[in-house]
Amino acid sequence: WLSGFWIDDYVDLNKQQSQTVKLLIKDTRDWHRTSQLPLYKADLIYLQNILSDSPSEQALIEHFNNSREHWQTLVNKIAQPLIDVAKSLDENQKMQFIAKIRDDINEELEEYEKQTDAERSEERLEKQTDTYKEWLGKLSQQQLTLIAKANDSYEPRFVQWQKYKNTRLDALVAVFDNPAINEAEFSQNMLHIITEREAFMSQELIAATEKNQALYAKLLVELRHTLSPKQIKHAKDKFKDMIEEIDDLIVD
């Protein structure tokens, strides 16, 4: 339901395009509900089982990597329909779409530059702490120290992410602005841009992402050994609520 409003923010579609996109959203939503949500539920149950024992960092990292494949599955599913919509865009629509994405990137940079490194670190720690409180309830001083220590070791990635976004956007501009490109080449290049996300990432970004994921897994293992029975129950209730929400969406 929200997807239509999101798309309207990026490009003004004509009546036929709007009908095509609405049908795409409906078909994708129905497919996602019946085929993907059960997989998300299975992942949550598996993660709960891992964390109920004494998980290894490697087991958690493998789970994170497997779960990330769900996003790739979704992207692969909608890639060709999105390409078909892109083929129907006129020059003004293409320019509007590119300009909106560039504005978003620039706005993110402006917000980033309003803070110092210390302020960004403090904000990140606050968000992390709030997340763990949501899952565990009141945190002990030992747990707060572990979270703060992990936050201090976090590898900032904003600059690398900005470079990635601009590189990917430049590739899209090159496709949209190429008057000599034929339909097959357009589809091939668009498919690469939509589905091959890591192709536009620097090795620095990939390395920083892997480092932060390892830090996250390490923190979860460390926190697991500090949990009180009350916190364990709090986490189980959180898992239960999320699984019930997925069940409601599957049968809705």
Side-chain angles (χ1 to χ4, degrees):
W1 178 76
L2 288 172
S3 301
F5 293 99
W6 178 87
I7 292 171
D8 284 342
D9 283 342
Y10 282 81
V11 61
D12 295 324
L13 300 176
N14 62 38
K15 185 175 181 180
Q16 180 59 52
Q17 291 168 333
S18 181
Q19 290 175 344
T20 299
V21 168
K22 286 179 181 177
L23 181 60
L24 167 60
I25 292 172
K26 180 184 181 303
D27 289 346
T28 303
R29 182 197 63 203
D30 293 345
W31 163 83
H32 188 268
R33 174 177 288 170
T34 58
S35 69
Q36 299 304 294
L37 288 184
L39 300 180
Y40 299 174
K41 176 182 176 180
D43 271 356
L44 278 173
I45 294 172
Y46 180 69
L47 179 60
Q48 183 177 17
N49 290 337
I50 292 178
L51 292 173
S52 67
D53 197 4
S54 297
S56 69
E57 294 173 28
Q58 187 56 40
L60 288 170
I61 290 173
E62 289 177 2
H63 176 71
F64 300 153
N65 290 335
N66 290 337
S67 297
R68 195 177 297 117
E69 289 301 312
H70 293 313
W71 172 252
Q72 189 63 47
T73 298
L74 173 59
V75 170
N76 291 343
K77 171 71 176 178
I78 65 175
Q80 190 55 56
L82 286 179
I83 292 170
D84 292 339
V85 172
K87 288 178 181 177
S88 73
L89 298 179
D90 61 31
E91 293 305 314
N92 287 334
Q93 288 174 317
K94 291 176 182 177
M95 291 174 59
Q96 181 188 15
F97 185 69
I98 294 294
K100 182 62 173 80
I101 296 177
R102 204 177 296 283
D103 284 346
D104 286 350
I105 294 174
N106 291 336
E107 286 177 12
E108 289 175 356
L109 180 60
E110 289 177 5
E111 289 299 314
Y112 175 83
E113 291 178 338
K114 289 179 181 178
Q115 293 180 306
T116 65
D117 288 344
E119 288 171 335
R120 286 189 284 269
S121 179
E122 183 179 351
E123 182 178 292
R124 184 172 59 247
L125 176 58
E126 183 178 345
K127 289 180 179 178
Q128 287 291 306
T129 303
D130 287 345
T131 297
Y132 286 108
K133 285 180 180 178
E134 180 183 350
W135 276 88
L136 302 175
K138 185 178 179 180
L139 301 172
S140 68
Q141 186 56 54
Q142 180 187 13
Q143 291 164 345
L144 290 170
T145 299
L146 288 171
I147 295 168
K149 181 180 177 182
N151 185 66
D152 289 341
S153 300
Y154 179 86
E155 186 74 32
R157 298 174 298 165
F158 181 84
V159 174
Q160 293 97 324
W161 271 114
Q162 286 288 102
K163 181 179 179 182
Y164 151 75
K165 291 177 181 179
N166 280 299
T167 301
R168 202 175 182 191
L169 180 58
D170 289 344
L172 180 62
V173 172
V175 174
F176 277 178
D177 285 354
N178 185 354
I181 196 170
N182 61 42
E183 188 169 313
E185 291 171 335
F186 181 91
S187 295
Q188 182 179 4
N189 290 335
M190 288 294 295
L191 184 65
H192 177 67
I193 294 168
I194 293 171
T195 63
E196 301 296 330
R197 188 164 170 255
E198 285 199 3
F200 302 93
M201 294 182 180
S202 66
Q203 287 304 309
E204 291 81 4
L205 175 56
I206 294 172
T209 300
E210 291 176 351
K211 175 187 174 182
N212 290 337
Q213 181 174 259
L215 284 170
Y216 178 48
K218 181 175 183 291
L219 175 59
L220 288 183
V221 170
E222 291 174 338
L223 286 173
R224 178 63 185 86
H225 297 308
T226 71
L227 299 185
S228 68
K230 185 176 182 180
Q231 287 176 322
I232 291 174
K233 182 181 183 304
H234 196 290
K236 286 182 178 179
D237 289 342
K238 179 69 173 177
F239 273 111
K240 181 174 178 289
D241 289 343
M242 292 184 71
I243 291 170
E244 288 178 351
E245 286 180 7
I246 291 179
D247 283 336
D248 288 343
L249 287 170
I250 291 174
V251 301
D252 189 6

